[in-house]
Amino acid sequence: MVTLNLRDDCNGCVATNFKRGMTDKRFLELEITEWLRSPERKKQLAGEHYYHGDQEAAHRRRLALDEDGKLIELKHLPNNCLVNNLYAKMVDQKTNYSFGRPFSFDTDNKEYAEALSTVFGQRFCRTLRNVGEGAIIGGKSWLYPYYNGGELCFKRFPADEVLAFWADADHTILDAAVHAYVVLEYDESEHIKEVVKVEVLHGGGVDCFIRHYDGTLEPDASAYSGPYTTVTDPKTGEVKGYNWERIPLVCFKSSHHEIPLLSKVKCLQDAYNNILSNFANQMEEDIHTTILVIKNYDGEDLGGFRKNIAAYGVIKVRSYEGSDGGVDTLEINVNAENYKVLLQMLKDAIIENARGYDAKDERMNGNPNQMNIQSMYSDIDLDANALEMEFAASMDELLWFVNAHFANTGKKSYDGTKVKIIFDRDVLINETEVINNCKASVGILSDETIVKMHPWVSDPEQELKRIKDEKEEAMADPYRAAFEQNRNPQQPGTVKDGEDGGQTE
């Protein structure tokens, strides 16, 4: 456990699990410095860079050994730096698969469901999608609940901006956290400079600092430090501060390992880009960059000879001591099939290791049945199950703050009310096959279950209400009732009007 109480005595509090005499402030300075250069944070930053196309292949050079055995850059040769960002495609694919559609709550308490809809609207759905994308890129992402003018809002923090102090090995209970980020400000000479802001979140509130280049922390006079929220008494004008009973920061993980997706595919993505760039280099080489074999020519040095070839494309040769001069070339035949096969192998390996799917899979040719579609989605389905399980647990923690908000604002207390988070996945289906299965289930399953499974229905509750209204209108109109009877004949196994006996088999 780490004890942090910076506001009361920034220089006098001693953390409980490190060297005696070390203050909380000095402990934070050392921890932040170590975290900023940690391998974990470097991987998180690399994931962001690779997603935006800033990959190793974009900075490659063509090198060779000189006469002294040292590497030199060959600037006169083609040097393609091609990036086919399959990694970013996998990130977008996995993000939109699980978070591309609005999520929903399944609860028996309709009043609670309506109250949740006022907090988790379309704006929050967009925020949660960004949190999901950040969790896939960085291994985890964070949500910070806060009040803005009396309204409960949520702010996303990327993984590379938060240093967490956990109370347990499974990283489920948060002791304290540091949010470090960079802002641009004008200095005295009106030049833009980067300023590192540090926010320390602990049980007593939030403390704000500015981090200098030497790693020391200085209290930020321009930022607010104190309780997480304040309330002004309208009668007395007295300002009272209130803190959450928990640290207001919720961690959303891609898995319990908290591993960025790039760690699984980086070597494959780099190999793909290198093979693609090498193939382009081979295709661009022509007579000006091909190996030349010179016969009976001992004129100028080879450097000048090559320069004239590149500039004019013509040379003069002559006979020398009975031998004819000449110039031959060593032609290199580029086998495009080898590159094509290797690139396809690397692409398949990236998709498999990222646990995605190939939309151009041969199983999707023609009219694929539902089994073929499920087979193509098997890897991403398994990965999405683990991702959504982690997010459901984090949403439960976030609901604690929402329930506390309801209680604080005078609404009914919903503590202990059961609610389930449902993530609506964006998956291809064979609609004809699913509709036929729904029709075959009439009389076996309830109308509500069938309506929820129908691919054309986006709001089951509203659709059930429409069906009920249509039935009531049909009962009121005898002609329409007869039409409905002819359109929807009774299913086998029921008794028709006028028949004797009970129920047929």
Side-chain angles (χ1 to χ4, degrees):
M1 298 284 290
V2 178
T3 301
L4 293 174
N5 191 13
L6 297 176
R7 279 191 304 107
D8 294 340
D9 185 4
C10 218
N11 295 315
C13 297
V14 181
T16 60
N17 67 334
F18 27 88
K19 185 176 179 181
R20 183 179 298 276
M22 181 183 293
T23 63
D24 283 350
K25 180 172 176 293
R26 182 55 183 163
F27 167 75
L28 287 174
E29 291 172 349
L30 296 176
E31 284 291 310
I32 293 174
T33 300
E34 188 67 24
W35 164 68
L36 289 175
R37 61 190 182 195
S38 64
E40 178 187 8
R41 187 171 183 271
K42 289 180 180 179
K43 292 179 182 179
Q44 295 166 354
L45 291 173
E48 288 284 351
H49 292 317
Y50 266 63
Y51 180 80
H52 295 288
D54 185 13
Q55 304 183 9
E56 287 187 2
H59 310 285
R60 56 179 260 143
R61 299 181 299 163
R62 294 194 68 170
L63 304 176
L65 296 175
D66 62 6
E67 58 273 10
D68 297 327
K70 298 180 180 179
L71 286 175
I72 59 172
E73 184 177 0
L74 304 177
K75 296 183 178 181
H76 61 285
L77 294 180
N79 180 32
N80 286 277
C81 302
L82 304 182
V83 174
N84 186 4
N85 205 341
L86 298 176
Y87 159 73
K89 179 181 178 181
M90 289 294 101
V91 171
D92 293 339
Q93 184 183 96
K94 296 167 76 65
T95 301
N96 292 321
Y97 183 77
S98 293
F99 309 107
R101 294 185 177 184
F103 65 95
S104 59
F105 295 98
D106 187 7
T107 177
D108 295 333
N109 192 329
K110 301 301 181 182
E111 182 183 355
Y112 187 34
E114 293 178 0
L116 290 177
S117 64
T118 61
V119 176
F120 300 118
Q122 294 296 325
R123 185 173 62 178
F124 181 83
C125 290
R126 179 185 62 184
T127 301
L128 187 64
R129 185 205 173 277
N130 295 336
V131 169
E133 180 182 89
I136 294 172
I137 293 176
K140 56 188 172 184
S141 192
W142 301 83
L143 262 185
Y144 173 64
Y146 68 101
Y147 280 106
N148 182 17
E151 179 185 2
L152 183 64
C153 301
F154 305 92
K155 185 182 298 184
R156 181 184 71 92
F157 294 158
D160 57 274
E161 290 186 0
V162 176
L163 166 62
F165 297 97
W166 298 100
D168 62 333
D170 291 333
H171 292 184
T172 59
I173 303 175
L174 195 62
D175 239 357
V178 172
H179 177 219
Y181 58 100
V182 176
V183 297
L184 300 178
E185 295 182 354
Y186 285 98
D187 57 14
E188 295 79 5
S189 57
E190 298 184 353
H191 293 149
I192 296 179
K193 65 176 182 178
E194 292 184 350
V195 178
V196 179
K197 300 276 189 175
V198 174
E199 298 173 347
V200 183
L201 291 81
H202 52 89
V206 58
D207 291 284
C208 298
F209 300 90
I210 295 177
R211 184 178 185 273
H212 298 293
Y213 290 106
D214 59 358
T216 58
L217 297 178
E218 176 188 350
D220 188 359
S222 61
Y224 167 79
S225 295
Y228 291 110
T229 183
T230 58
V231 176
T232 303
D233 191 330
K235 296 181 179 180
T236 63
E238 181 183 2
V239 178
K240 296 183 179 180
Y242 294 91
N243 287 319
W244 300 98
E245 294 180 6
R246 303 180 184 180
I247 305 298
L249 199 61
V250 181
C251 183
F252 288 79
K253 308 175 186 178
S254 60
S255 70
H256 72 280
H257 295 292
E258 304 175 14
I259 298 176
L261 180 62
L262 183 63
S263 299
K264 303 176 182 178
V265 299
K266 183 178 183 300
C267 59
L268 297 171
Q269 178 68 73
D270 291 339
Y272 187 98
N273 292 336
N274 287 331
I275 296 298
L276 188 63
S277 299
N278 290 338
F279 179 55
N281 290 342
Q282 294 289 337
M283 297 300 295
E284 286 186 8
E285 290 186 359
D286 54 21
I287 190 173
H288 296 290
T289 56
T290 305
I291 298 176
L292 300 179
V293 181
I294 308 170
K295 301 178 180 178
N296 297 327
Y297 187 85
D298 57 354
E300 58 186 323
D301 62 277
L302 294 179
F305 177 82
R306 190 83 182 196
K307 179 181 178 181
N308 291 333
I309 287 289
Y312 305 108
V314 177
I315 61 172
K316 297 171 63 178
V317 297
R318 57 183 174 82
S319 298
Y320 180 72
E321 295 183 354
S323 299
D324 293 335
V327 177
D328 294 332
T329 62
L330 292 180
E331 296 182 1
I332 301 175
N333 295 322
V334 179
N335 191 341
E337 284 300 318
N338 292 340
Y339 286 95
K340 183 177 179 181
V341 170
L342 185 54
L343 288 173
Q344 185 62 44
M345 290 175 60
L346 290 171
K347 178 182 178 181
D348 293 342
I350 291 173
I351 294 175
E352 184 174 357
N353 281 269
R355 294 179 178 88
Y357 66 88
D358 186 4
K360 300 179 179 63
D361 194 296
E362 59 183 9
R363 288 171 290 185
M364 300 299 292
N365 294 335
N367 185 23
N369 57 36
Q370 197 63 29
M371 291 299 296
N372 287 340
I373 297 175
Q374 290 176 356
S375 176
M376 185 187 72
Y377 279 95
S378 60
D379 284 346
I380 195 172
D381 261 331
L382 292 174
D383 200 49
N385 289 338
L387 174 66
E388 292 172 10
M389 181 179 294
E390 291 288 344
F391 268 61
S394 299
M395 285 297 295
D396 281 345
E397 186 176 350
L398 189 65
L399 283 174
W400 182 92
F401 293 95
V402 176
N403 292 336
H405 163 68
F406 290 154
N408 294 337
T409 53
K411 294 184 179 179
K412 181 180 177 181
S413 176
Y414 298 105
D415 288 340
T417 304
K418 293 184 179 180
V419 59
K420 182 180 179 182
I421 315 298
I422 300 176
F423 295 96
D424 189 8
R425 298 180 183 178
D426 193 3
V427 59
L428 294 175
I429 61 172
N430 188 322
E431 289 189 351
T432 302
E433 186 174 342
V434 175
I435 292 174
N436 289 335
N437 291 336
C438 290
K439 292 170 62 178
S441 301
V442 174
I444 302 175
L445 300 176
S446 66
D447 290 344
E448 183 178 357
T449 301
I450 295 174
V451 168
K452 287 182 177 180
M453 297 302 297
H454 201 287
W456 294 353
V457 176
S458 58
D459 190 343
E461 297 293 337
Q462 185 178 12
E463 189 64 27
L464 287 170
K465 185 178 182 301
R466 291 172 180 170
I467 294 175
K468 181 180 178 181
D469 294 341
E470 287 183 355
K471 288 182 178 179
E472 291 177 352
E473 291 178 4
M475 293 296 293
D477 187 350
Y479 296 102
R480 180 168 181 176
F483 173 76
E484 291 292 337
Q485 179 69 22
N486 293 330
R487 190 181 70 170
N488 299 315
Q490 290 178 309
Q491 296 295 317
T494 60
V495 180
K496 297 182 180 179
D497 295 338
E499 290 186 346
D500 295 331
Q503 187 175 7
T504 61
E505 294 182 357

